[in-house]
Amino acid sequence: MTTTTTTPAATDNGHEDRLPTRSTFDRVIRRPELASLLGAIVIFVLFMVVAPAFRSWDSVATVLYTSSTMGIVALAVGMLMIGDEFDLSSGVAVTTAALAATMLNYNLHLNSWVGAAISLAIALAIGALNGWLVTRTGIPSFLITLSAFLMLQGLNLAITKLVTNQVATPTIADMEGFYSANMVFASNVNVFGVQVRVTVFWWILFVVLASLLLHRTRFGNWIFAAGGDAEAAYAVGVPVRRVKITLFMFVGFAAWFVGMHTLFTFDSIQAGQGVGNEFLYIIAAVIGGCALTGGKGTAVGTAIGALIFGMTNQGIVYAGWNPDWFKFFLGAMLLFAVVTNLFVARYTEAR
């Protein structure tokens, strides 16, 4: 026999009624990021035991850096998944943004910030176009963004070869504005003697802002409503199309940001890079508790999913294991997260 506790709630007439509330255990187990948190703890303990090099603060900084470059885009992809859509073009979109900025800078002799700004406009336009096509045609976002993936991949290679006669862009390290852009997107911050990449702090900031957006704003409520039941949301006045287009633009912004980090770190871009990363972003979001059917997920969960990626990626290196184990661990964590969330869903339905 189950029992429920009650708590006073104020009514319109100022009196207090007794409303049923969930126990602390129920609230915890319903958290979508629970499985990823448990997995992150297990992986952290594992590599702390088997890889002595993993225990240093420099290694922690490296893990956080790897997680941040994955986590920034995974965060936007996760929010899009909460809205019940996918973006398979996010991996190559990072490269597209970087290529656009570097070729504009080099060939038109622009200030690095001008090229970056034009690149941002291009990235947002790609996201908006993906969203517009999905919401206006009714074609699944899987197919729309798969088409975008193929087109962007082809454009990245074809235009780079046409302009530079090779698959890599020339260096722009001597261009005006490069130093200041490098400081914003690719510098190191000294934290108690440990060099931490600035992307780690940007990642944390974006997670905080996304959490506030999802759970403290009307737009966040619209995202969950559009992902949970788009028709019902539309019926009560939620601008579903606008919400989804905006979410695709968020992905475009995140891809641009990581593209700028890549550009101003290495000052040259390989046209073929980024292919396959879109699946890693989705995997990180799913591990973090974002439902494939929409309407469920958190920004913190996607961050934990990216952290699992970073710990596994670097931990295997520090442990001296064969790198082929990385995909195995990632797949195992994905399976663990999906199965755990399934059992939790069944448990909560039974309650």
Side-chain angles (χ1 to χ4, degrees):
M1 178 178 179
T2 60
T3 60
T4 60
T5 59
T6 59
T7 187
T11 59
D12 291 337
N13 57 16
H15 296 291
E16 290 184 345
D17 292 333
R18 308 294 290 182
L19 298 177
T21 62
R22 300 185 182 120
S23 68
T24 300
F25 176 76
D26 278 349
R27 290 197 298 271
V28 170
I29 201 171
R30 289 171 186 267
R31 297 296 302 177
E33 66 269 28
L34 175 63
S36 62
L37 179 60
L38 295 175
I41 293 172
V42 169
I43 290 176
F44 176 76
V45 171
L46 171 65
F47 287 118
M48 285 290 285
V49 171
V50 303
F54 190 80
R55 303 166 195 165
S56 72
W57 287 112
D58 287 331
S59 298
V60 171
T62 301
V63 167
L64 289 175
Y65 168 58
T66 304
S67 303
S68 67
T69 55
M70 175 64 57
I72 289 172
V73 184
L75 174 63
V77 168
M79 293 177 67
L80 180 63
M81 290 175 63
I82 295 173
D84 197 24
E85 302 294 349
F86 294 91
D87 192 341
L88 295 180
S89 67
S90 54
V92 293
V94 172
T95 305
T96 300
L99 286 171
T102 186
M103 285 194 283
L104 285 167
N105 287 342
Y106 185 83
N107 291 284
L108 300 181
H109 307 288
L110 301 175
N111 183 289
S112 293
W113 284 105
V114 175
I118 297 173
S119 173
L120 174 59
I122 293 171
L124 293 176
I126 292 171
L129 179 60
N130 281 339
W132 185 84
L133 288 172
V134 168
T135 57
R136 291 295 177 177
T137 65
I139 298 173
S141 56
F142 175 89
L143 295 176
I144 293 291
T145 58
L146 178 59
S147 302
F149 160 80
L150 294 172
M151 288 188 290
L152 290 178
Q153 184 183 11
L155 286 172
N156 289 348
L157 289 166
I159 294 179
T160 303
K161 288 181 180 178
L162 179 66
V163 174
T164 68
N165 294 317
Q166 54 186 355
V167 295
T169 60
T171 178
I172 60 167
D174 58 346
M175 302 294 289
E176 184 180 356
F178 182 89
Y179 177 77
S180 59
N182 175 272
M183 293 296 294
V184 171
F185 294 106
S187 61
N188 291 319
V189 178
N190 189 300
V191 180
F192 301 112
V194 178
Q195 296 297 313
V196 181
R197 285 280 194 172
V198 71
T199 51
V200 174
F201 300 99
W202 281 115
W203 177 40
I204 294 171
L205 175 62
F206 291 151
V207 170
V208 171
L209 293 177
S211 295
L212 293 175
L213 176 67
L214 285 172
H215 303 292
R216 294 289 186 271
T217 68
R218 183 171 61 174
F219 187 80
N221 291 333
W222 287 351
I223 294 173
F224 283 104
D229 189 333
E231 292 186 3
Y234 186 79
V236 297
V238 174
V240 174
R241 289 176 176 171
R242 190 172 73 197
V243 168
K244 294 195 175 189
I245 291 173
T246 303
L247 290 174
F248 275 104
M249 293 177 72
F250 282 172
V251 176
F253 170 80
W256 168 82
F257 193 92
V258 174
M260 294 306 97
H261 164 71
T262 305
L263 171 61
F264 293 110
T265 298
F266 302 105
D267 65 67
S268 179
I269 298 295
Q270 293 284 336
Q273 67 188 61
V275 177
N277 284 351
E278 58 279 347
F279 295 109
L280 297 179
Y281 302 143
I282 293 173
I283 288 170
V286 173
I287 290 176
C290 293
L292 293 171
T293 52
K296 180 181 178 183
T298 64
V300 173
T302 64
I304 296 174
L307 184 61
I308 287 174
F309 172 88
M311 287 193 295
T312 305
N313 191 8
Q314 297 302 128
I316 288 174
V317 174
Y318 293 137
W321 295 352
N322 189 320
D324 293 337
W325 283 105
F326 169 68
K327 293 292 179 63
F328 171 82
F329 272 94
L330 204 59
M333 276 309 309
L334 177 61
L335 181 62
F336 172 75
V338 171
V339 171
T340 302
N341 288 332
L342 175 63
F343 278 109
V344 168
R346 289 179 176 176
Y347 168 80
T348 55
E349 287 175 2
R351 299 279 288 180

